[in-house]
Amino acid sequence: MKKKLVFGASAICLSLGFWACGDGSIESIGADDDIARAFALDDEGLKELMKAAEKDCEADESCKSAQNDAYKSADDDDEDEESSDSDSGDSSASSSGSTAVSSSNVVVSSSGMVLSSSGAVVTSSAGATSSAGGTSSAQVTPVSSSSGPQITPASSSAVSSSSAAPATGPVQGICNLSQKTIEKGGSAKWSFQRMSGAKDVQTYKWTFSDGTTKTVASPEITYSKAGEFSAKVLINAGLESQNEIDCSNAFGGTKTTLKVNGTPITGCKCSSDAEALFFASGKPATATWTASGCTGGNTFTYTWGGDATGSGTSATGSFEKSGSFTPTLSVSNEEGMTMSATCPSVTVSQVLSASCVVGRDQNNLNSSSLSVMPGKSFSFKPKNISGFPSGSSSVSATLIGGGSETAVSIRGSQDYQNSPVTVTAPDAFGDYTYTLSANGIDICDAKVTVAVPNVACYVGVNQNSVSSAEVSVMPGQKFYFKPDGSGNSYWDQNLTMYMDLKGEGVEASVSVKTNNNSATSYSAPSSLGKYEYKLSLNGETLCSAAINVEYPKITSTSCDLTEHSWDHTHYFTPGASFSNWDANVIGSSFDMTLYLDDEVVITKSVSRYSNGDWAQITPPTEPGVHVYKLMFETNEVCSVEYEVKDSEE
C-alpha cells in the first residue's frame, strides 16, 4: 500500500493547505514529479518543503485532523484491495471514487488534486492516459486568497515528464519567521528556506529595515519600534549561485513581513459635566465631555463622533430636543494603536418659560423693573407660564440676584396658581438682575434698581422754623436739624429709613419718613467757622445742611450811664433796642461784658428788647476821664465816658 502524503501549504506560504492524490495513494514524489516540476522544485527543495509542511501541519489542528482522515482513508483502501481480485491492478484503484480529506477547504477527488483555497489549485486528469500509456500532464491554476499569495507555477501549460528543476544556478527560496506578530521590544527569528537552484547555501547576509546587517543563517532581531517590517537576504555573495531574496516579495510572490505592535493605550476614560439637561425655547442645552487618564504613548489623538464634536480632550454637544445623547471617542497614539472609550449619556428635557414681574408689594406686580430702597423688601412673581411639564404638579425654580438665592415653586400655567415671593433688596446702590431658572436653564428675569432716596436736609435756630439749608449760630448755641423725605416718589408712606447724620460733634442715627419728620437739637461747636452736617445711607450722601458759627455784629447802639443822687451810685443800661443786630437768629438775648477802664465790672445777659437798670456801679473817685465799655466777645457794642474832677479845682 502507498501511503497518502499530506503536508501544510505554509511551506510555500499557503495557510492550512496540503497536497494529496485523488485516489488516496501517492507515488513517491521527487524532482521528476509533475507537481515538483510545475513549481520548479528540485529534490532538495521538495524535501525542505515537505519538512516544513509536516511541521506546520503538526502545529495546526485542522490540518492534523485532515491528515489523520487521509491516512485512515488510505488504510480503508488497503482493506478493500485485499478483498478484491488481484487482477484489478493498481490502475483500477487509481480510478476509485472521490474522497473528502480536510475540513480546511481542501478536497481530494478522483478527478484530480486540489490545493487549499488559500493557495493555488492544482488539478490533473487522473483517469486519462496517452496512446502510449503515459501519465497525463498536470495543470496548475492560481487562486486568489486573502490569507495567502497567488502561486504561479513554472509553466501554465503541460509540463513534460522528462523535464526537472535544475540543481544549479542562483539559489531561490522563501523567508520564514519564528512568529508573524510580536510586541514592541520583542524579538523574532528570520530564516531562509531554499526551494531551488544551487543546493549549497554557503553564506548569508541579512539586511533589515533599520540598516542592520547579520551574516548568520537565522538571525534573531529585537524591535524597539512599532510597524510592519521585512528584510532582504543575500545568498552566496560572490558565487555563481548568488541571489538576493526580498522577503516582502520572495519566491512565487510569497510575502513575509513582521508586524510589531506598538504600546497599547490603556486607562482612557470619558466623563460628562452633566447627567440631565434642560432646554427652553431659543436656549439650547449644552453638555461637555472630557477624555482623561490615557496612558501608553507620547502623543494622543482624540477622535469624537456621535452626539458631540470637538478636538483634543473635550467635546461639546448642543441640544434643542428631548432625548438621550451619547458621543463616541476613539484615542490613537503615535504608533497607530487605538482604544475606544465609552462615554456617559446625557438626558435632555424641555423646561417651561415665563415672564418675571416685580413690585413694591404683592398687589403691585405689573412691571419687569422696579426701584427700591436699600435693604427693603419687594415682591416677585412668574407670569405667563408656558411649557409646563405634563403630569407635574410643580416645578422647583431658583431666583438668583443681588447676591442671594430664593426658592420659587412654580405650580402651574395659570398666573393665579403662583403666589408672589418676598425678596430683600441689597444694601448697596446699583442695578441688579433677578433671574428665575429651573434645572439650570434661565426662564425669565427682572431688573431692580437700588436707588438713593430723594431726601432734603434743613437746619434752624428753633424747632418751629427748620427750613433753611444754612444758618448762623453762636459758638455752643443750640440749633435744630430736620430731614425731609416728602419728595421721594417711590417711597412708601409708612416706610422709615434710619440714616446717618455726621458733622462736627454729631454722629447719630436719624429716623426718616416721607412725612412727619421731627427736628432734633444739637449744640454748635465752640470754635468759629462753617460746619456741614451730612445725611447718608450705606455710605452714600443723600443731602447736607450747614451752620456758620460766628459772633453777631452789633452796631449803632447806645449806652446810658445815670447817677442816683440818694446813694451816689452809677447805673449802666444797654440800649433799649438793638434793632440792627445781624445775628438775630440766635435769639433775644446773650451775654455781654462791661469794662471800666479795661477792668471787668460785670458779665450778664443783654436783652434785645428791654434791660432796665442793667448794672449798679460805684463811680470811680480818681480824677480824670474814665470809660465804660460794653463788649460782646471782642466786639465793642457801646461806650460812655465819665469824668472825675480834682477837688482842688
Side-chain angles (χ1 to χ4, degrees):
M1 170 60 194
K2 299 169 184 176
K3 294 296 182 181
K4 184 183 299 294
L5 173 64
V6 180
F7 57 90
S10 62
I12 54 172
C13 296
L14 296 174
S15 173
L16 300 181
F18 56 87
W19 290 346
C21 283
D23 61 356
S25 61
I26 296 180
E27 296 287 345
S28 188
I29 298 178
D32 294 333
D33 188 87
D34 285 345
I35 297 173
R37 290 199 304 275
F39 285 92
L41 302 175
D42 57 14
D43 286 338
E44 194 68 29
L46 185 60
K47 290 177 182 179
E48 293 297 326
L49 187 63
M50 292 170 61
K51 289 180 182 178
E54 291 174 353
K55 179 180 178 182
D56 283 355
C57 192
E58 182 68 23
D60 188 281
E61 291 298 328
S62 60
C63 181
K64 186 176 180 180
S65 176
Q67 186 182 42
N68 291 335
D69 290 343
Y71 275 111
K72 181 178 179 182
S73 176
D75 291 339
D76 291 341
D77 289 345
D78 281 345
E79 294 176 3
D80 292 340
E81 288 180 5
E82 291 173 0
S83 62
S84 64
D85 294 334
S86 59
D87 295 338
S88 60
D90 290 342
S91 61
S92 173
S94 299
S95 62
S96 61
S98 63
T99 303
V101 176
S102 169
S103 61
S104 304
N105 297 324
V106 177
V107 177
V108 179
S109 72
S110 61
S111 61
M113 57 182 65
V114 180
L115 187 62
S116 166
S117 62
S118 63
V121 177
V122 182
T123 62
S124 65
S125 300
T129 58
S130 66
S131 58
T135 304
S136 64
S137 61
Q139 293 181 342
V140 181
T141 304
V143 177
S144 297
S145 169
S146 60
S147 59
Q150 296 181 358
I151 302 299
T152 304
S155 174
S156 59
S157 60
V159 180
S160 170
S161 60
S162 63
S163 63
T168 60
V171 177
Q172 300 287 349
I174 60 175
C175 303
N176 286 324
L177 276 168
S178 59
Q179 47 192 329
K180 294 296 183 69
T181 303
I182 63 172
E183 301 302 318
K184 188 175 71 172
S187 300
K189 181 177 288 187
W190 292 81
S191 62
F192 174 73
Q193 183 173 323
R194 175 190 169 279
M195 304 301 290
S196 66
K199 294 183 178 181
D200 295 331
V201 179
Q202 299 182 20
T203 63
Y204 302 85
K205 182 180 180 182
W206 293 87
T207 303
F208 298 96
S209 301
D210 61 354
T212 302
T213 59
K214 298 289 183 180
T215 57
V216 297
S218 299
E220 186 172 8
I221 305 300
T222 300
Y223 292 84
S224 60
K225 294 183 179 180
E228 186 174 87
F229 301 92
S230 188
K232 292 182 180 180
V233 57
L234 179 62
I235 304 297
N236 292 345
L239 302 179
E240 184 179 349
S241 58
Q242 171 182 313
N243 191 23
E244 185 175 50
I245 308 299
D246 185 348
C247 297
S248 64
N249 187 20
F251 176 78
T254 303
K255 181 178 181 180
T256 303
T257 56
L258 174 68
K259 182 181 179 182
V260 180
N261 292 329
T263 303
I265 302 175
T266 60
C268 292
K269 296 180 180 179
C270 179
S271 59
S272 174
D273 62 349
E275 295 181 359
L277 294 174
F278 297 84
F279 72 95
S281 178
K283 299 178 180 178
T286 302
T288 299
W289 284 268
T290 303
S292 63
C294 294
T295 59
N298 298 317
T299 303
F300 297 104
T301 300
Y302 301 87
T303 303
W304 297 90
D307 296 317
T309 58
S311 60
T313 58
S314 65
T316 59
S318 183
F319 310 103
E320 292 185 275
K321 63 180 180 179
S322 298
S324 180
F325 301 94
T326 309
T328 60
L329 172 61
S330 176
V331 184
S332 59
N333 63 14
E334 71 276 9
E335 295 177 335
M337 304 300 287
T338 61
M339 175 185 176
S340 295
T342 301
C343 294
S345 300
V346 60
T347 301
V348 180
S349 305
Q350 187 172 9
V351 76
L352 53 78
S353 60
S355 299
C356 293
V357 292
V358 286
R360 298 190 189 99
D361 54 52
Q362 60 183 3
N363 298 318
N364 295 282
L365 288 163
N366 52 16
S367 176
S368 61
S369 62
L370 176 69
S371 292
V372 297
M373 296 291 293
K376 295 305 174 180
S377 63
F378 63 92
S379 294
F380 171 91
K381 181 180 178 179
K383 296 180 68 176
N384 305 320
I385 299 169
S386 63
F388 199 85
S390 61
S392 300
S393 59
S394 65
V395 172
S396 296
T398 304
L399 180 63
I400 302 175
S404 65
E405 295 186 7
T406 304
V408 179
S409 180
I410 304 175
R411 299 187 179 277
S413 59
Q414 299 299 321
D415 291 343
Y416 70 87
Q417 294 177 292
N418 292 278
S419 300
V421 295
T422 300
V423 183
T424 301
D427 290 331
F429 299 112
D431 295 325
Y432 298 89
T433 299
Y434 285 80
T435 302
L436 184 66
S437 63
N439 298 312
I441 298 295
D442 295 345
I443 300 174
C444 59
D445 56 47
K447 308 294 182 182
V448 173
T449 299
V450 178
V452 177
N454 186 6
V455 179
C457 296
Y458 299 112
V459 288
V461 294
N462 62 70
Q463 191 170 1
N464 298 320
S465 60
V466 185
S467 59
S468 299
E470 184 174 337
V471 296
S472 293
V473 296
M474 295 278 292
Q477 183 184 352
K478 181 187 292 185
F479 70 96
Y480 291 86
F481 178 91
K482 180 180 180 179
D484 184 358
S486 61
N488 201 332
S489 60
Y490 56 82
W491 202 349
D492 293 339
Q493 289 293 318
N494 59 354
L495 181 62
T496 299
M497 298 295 296
Y498 285 90
M499 304 179 187
D500 297 325
L501 176 63
K502 290 186 178 181
E504 184 68 24
V506 177
E507 188 169 340
S509 179
V510 179
S511 174
V512 182
K513 302 178 181 180
T514 55
N515 55 11
N516 299 324
N517 288 288
S518 60
T520 305
S521 64
Y522 301 97
S523 295
S526 58
S527 300
L528 302 180
K530 184 175 181 178
Y531 299 90
E532 189 173 23
Y533 291 81
K534 297 180 179 180
L535 191 64
S536 64
L537 181 62
N538 300 331
E540 186 82 11
T541 298
L542 306 181
C543 60
S544 65
I547 60 171
N548 293 309
V549 179
E550 60 183 0
Y551 297 117
K553 298 178 177 62
I554 305 173
T555 59
S556 302
T557 59
S558 62
C559 301
D560 293 329
L561 186 65
T562 58
E563 183 178 354
H564 289 193
S565 58
W566 60 84
D567 59 5
H568 301 287
T569 60
H570 287 169
Y571 287 87
F572 181 87
T573 303
S577 175
F578 294 89
S579 59
N580 56 352
W581 287 8
D582 64 353
N584 53 11
V585 293
I586 65 176
S588 61
S589 62
F590 48 89
D591 291 344
M592 292 188 181
T593 302
L594 178 64
Y595 289 86
L596 175 59
D597 296 335
D598 297 328
E599 295 290 336
V600 176
V601 175
I602 190 173
T603 298
K604 62 183 297 186
S605 178
V606 175
S607 172
R608 62 179 296 191
Y609 301 108
S610 177
N611 290 295
D613 292 336
W614 186 71
Q616 185 179 8
I617 307 166
T618 301
T621 58
E622 184 178 351
V625 177
H626 300 274
V627 178
Y628 288 94
K629 184 185 299 182
L630 184 64
M631 300 288 294
F632 173 71
E633 297 296 336
T634 59
N635 298 322
E636 181 179 322
V637 177
C638 60
S639 63
V640 177
E641 292 184 353
Y642 174 72
E643 183 179 2
V644 178
K645 294 182 179 181
D646 191 340
S647 58
E648 295 181 355
E649 296 179 357

